[in-house]
Amino acid sequence: MDEADRQVLRRCRVRLVSELQVAPLWDALLSRELFTPGMIEDMQAGSRSRGDQARQLVTDLETRGNKALPLFISCLEDTGQNSLASLLRTSSQAAKGDPQAIRPLDLKPVALRPAGLKPEELRVVKQDPLKPTPGKLTPAVLGPEELWSAKLRPEVLRPEDIGSGGFSDVRAQMELRGNPDLAYVLNADPCGHCLIINNVDFSLRHSTRAGSDVDCEKLQRRFRSLHFMVEVKQNLASKQMVHTLVELARRDHGALDCCVVVILSHGCEASHRQFPGAVYGTDGYPVSIERIVNIFNGTGCPSLRGKPKLFFIQACGGDQRDHGFEVASTSPEDRARDSNPESDAAPFQDDPGSYDQLDAVSSLPTPSDIFVSYSTFPGFVSWREPKRGSWYIETLDSVFEQWAHSEDLQSLLLRVANAVSEKGIYKQIPGCFNFLRKKLFFKTS
């Protein structure tokens, strides 16, 4: 869906959710192949009220390709909802006639300056922080003057300063690990289940993910060393992925302390309320990260209530390539051009099953005790080398090996993000959605 059509839907969203009659629409949406039967079943099952179903329908419509809006207007006309059809058609025509009418406001920054300071004086200059500049405010420092430069100078923590491993750091981490109010208790042995879904061979729509087996082997060894029961599933279609995840969620986790899900696959952007992105089954159909995570919520997986549920996603978040920006230095091995990294981006297919556009903006209360780690920033590709595996998994494995005995999960992933961001000519930065209530330290002994 192009940006103009997307903005039309968002401008009309409130009225659509308020007035849309979804019950007569389902057959029309199926006949025009705007949605698959499974997608419509999901909307009906997951959203019981008319308003919830309408909201989900409008949100998901943004992912259904460039012809979605005119086809949806036709469905409205076929079901007698002419006022809404007219609203969308008129808004769409206005947007195409005057793109500025529908484009989001282009806000420009306004520079604020002290009274009497001329615009040409607003420039960046190197200045002694203790020497006042005319027209600017000098920070006030309380305390003896002799302490100013030595004790009260602001400092910025570098990534290598985090969790330096000194005696005081280790002692502080040990105190946290032993405090059940501040850290999850992972005393069970085995600690929990770890499911790895490794999709390598796809239909004609997507390429083979060379190097993914390398990632899978590393993760098997790593999570076994962290006292997890590791189970690997190879080359699952989208429905098989969901079935496997539901089966894991329905197990009795009562005697266990944690659960880990790792997905290695092609990925794409997808409409969402809580967690962005989707991963592809080997049949070329996507499963949203949000749906995967919600399988393990309190209703679907009651025996994991209050226990950490960790998701690691090695897949593209979109198809943008990040060239980065110039910094002072880059290590020689990262400048090497003899490597041939591949991306896990799935190219856009102009058909009703494509998830090709930016994420919809919406929100819901987010479940607790959830941690989702993404190999790349939403919208960008994730790099993988055929012989060494993906940058993200290779770095994750190395960092866990060196630091999991002394640092919590979030500190470990800060190290991963910093290391991955320094790799390659094209750039990549992992990220996460953290809804854990406490620190998490893996069981390493």
Side-chain angles (χ1 to χ4, degrees):
M1 180 174 288
D2 61 38
E3 183 62 26
D5 285 351
R6 185 183 296 109
Q7 290 299 326
V8 166
L9 278 178
R10 293 180 181 180
R11 293 270 178 116
C12 300
R13 181 183 181 88
V14 172
R15 185 171 169 187
L16 285 170
V17 171
S18 174
E19 300 180 15
L20 189 63
Q21 299 301 313
V22 293
L25 272 176
W26 303 129
D27 289 339
L29 294 172
L30 280 173
S31 66
R32 286 182 166 78
E33 297 184 338
L34 261 175
F35 294 95
T36 66
M39 293 174 180
I40 288 180
E41 288 176 6
D42 287 344
M43 283 187 279
Q44 292 172 329
S47 306
R48 296 185 178 181
S49 71
R50 181 211 58 80
D52 286 343
Q53 291 180 3
R55 186 177 295 106
Q56 189 63 51
L57 172 58
V58 174
T59 298
D60 289 351
L61 192 63
E62 294 186 20
T63 70
R64 308 311 297 159
N66 293 330
K67 299 179 181 179
L69 184 60
L71 288 174
F72 181 61
I73 292 174
S74 298
C75 291
L76 290 174
E77 292 172 338
D78 290 348
T79 56
Q81 303 184 62
N82 295 318
S83 61
L84 292 179
S86 177
L87 171 67
L88 291 175
R89 191 182 301 280
T90 302
S91 299
S92 179
Q93 292 171 349
K96 292 175 181 178
D98 181 13
Q100 293 294 338
I102 203 71
R103 185 178 300 169
L105 295 176
D106 184 15
L107 301 178
K108 298 181 178 179
V110 177
L112 301 178
R113 61 181 186 272
L117 192 63
K118 298 178 181 179
E120 57 270 19
E121 294 178 301
L122 290 173
R123 64 184 185 275
V124 178
V125 295
K126 292 184 178 180
Q127 181 73 28
D128 184 347
L130 297 179
K131 183 178 179 181
T133 301
K136 295 184 179 179
L137 298 177
T138 303
V141 181
L142 302 179
E145 185 174 351
E146 60 270 17
L147 295 179
W148 288 8
S149 58
K151 298 295 184 182
L152 298 176
R153 182 182 300 132
E155 294 181 355
V156 178
L157 290 177
R158 298 165 297 170
E160 58 265 30
D161 293 329
I162 301 173
S164 59
F167 176 75
S168 60
D169 291 330
V170 172
R171 185 174 63 181
Q173 296 281 30
M174 292 301 294
E175 291 176 355
L176 277 175
R177 187 192 293 262
N179 188 336
D181 293 329
L182 300 177
Y184 289 102
V185 176
L186 268 63
N187 288 336
D189 196 357
C191 180
H193 292 286
C194 172
L195 171 66
I196 302 174
I197 296 178
N198 182 29
N199 287 344
V200 179
D201 301 312
F202 289 76
S203 62
L204 296 177
R205 185 179 298 185
H206 305 309
S207 61
T208 299
R209 298 183 61 254
S212 188
D213 287 336
V214 177
D215 287 342
C216 187
E217 291 173 5
K218 289 177 181 176
L219 291 168
Q220 288 184 70
R221 290 193 300 268
R222 182 58 47 211
F223 281 102
R224 282 184 182 132
S225 73
L226 298 175
H227 299 264
F228 283 87
M229 297 177 287
V230 179
E231 180 180 357
V232 176
K233 296 292 186 180
Q234 294 279 140
N235 296 325
L236 300 185
S238 56
K239 288 186 177 180
Q240 292 174 319
M241 290 174 66
V242 173
H243 179 269
T244 300
L245 292 162
V246 169
E247 189 275 329
L248 174 61
R250 288 177 177 173
R251 295 180 191 176
D252 183 6
H253 301 262
L256 306 173
D257 292 330
C258 185
C259 185
V260 173
V261 173
V262 183
I263 299 181
L264 313 173
S265 188
H266 284 302
C268 59
E269 296 180 274
S271 175
H272 72 285
R273 292 183 177 183
Q274 297 165 341
F275 302 97
V279 288
Y280 281 100
T282 54
D283 55 354
Y285 288 94
V287 181
S288 70
I289 303 301
E290 181 166 292
R291 183 179 184 186
I292 291 170
V293 172
N294 284 337
I295 288 172
F296 294 84
N297 63 20
T299 302
C301 189
S303 61
L304 276 175
R305 287 175 183 168
K307 300 177 182 180
K309 296 163 279 287
L310 314 180
F311 300 83
F312 297 89
I313 311 298
Q314 166 54 44
C316 277
D319 57 7
Q320 297 185 62
R321 297 189 177 194
D322 186 0
H323 294 268
F325 56 89
E326 188 171 349
V327 293
S329 65
T330 304
S331 59
E333 60 269 22
D334 290 333
R335 289 183 179 274
R337 296 175 179 267
D338 56 350
S339 64
N340 185 28
E342 302 175 354
S343 81
D344 278 325
F348 166 58
Q349 305 289 329
D350 193 8
D351 62 59
S354 298
Y355 278 68
D356 62 312
Q357 304 297 339
L358 295 176
D359 299 330
V361 177
S362 188
S363 63
L364 276 181
T366 307
S368 62
D369 307 300
I370 293 289
F371 191 98
V372 184
S373 175
Y374 291 85
S375 62
T376 189
F377 191 80
F380 288 86
V381 298
S382 181
W383 295 104
R384 168 178 36 80
E385 296 185 21
K387 294 182 179 180
R388 296 174 56 183
S390 66
W391 295 356
Y392 168 69
I393 298 300
E394 180 184 42
T395 308
L396 186 79
D397 177 56
S398 175
V399 167
F400 278 24
E401 180 180 20
Q402 296 179 66
W403 300 101
H405 69 282
S406 62
E407 294 187 357
D408 71 285
L409 176 62
Q410 195 163 9
S411 297
L412 294 171
L413 289 174
L414 282 174
R415 289 185 180 274
V416 172
N418 180 57
V420 172
S421 70
E422 296 177 347
K423 288 180 176 288
I425 299 171
Y426 286 112
K427 294 301 177 183
Q428 177 182 334
I429 180 72
C432 65
F433 281 68
N434 181 8
F435 298 103
L436 298 178
R437 296 176 294 112
K438 306 176 184 180
K439 297 271 189 183
L440 187 143
F441 296 90
F442 286 112
K443 183 182 179 70
T444 57
S445 60

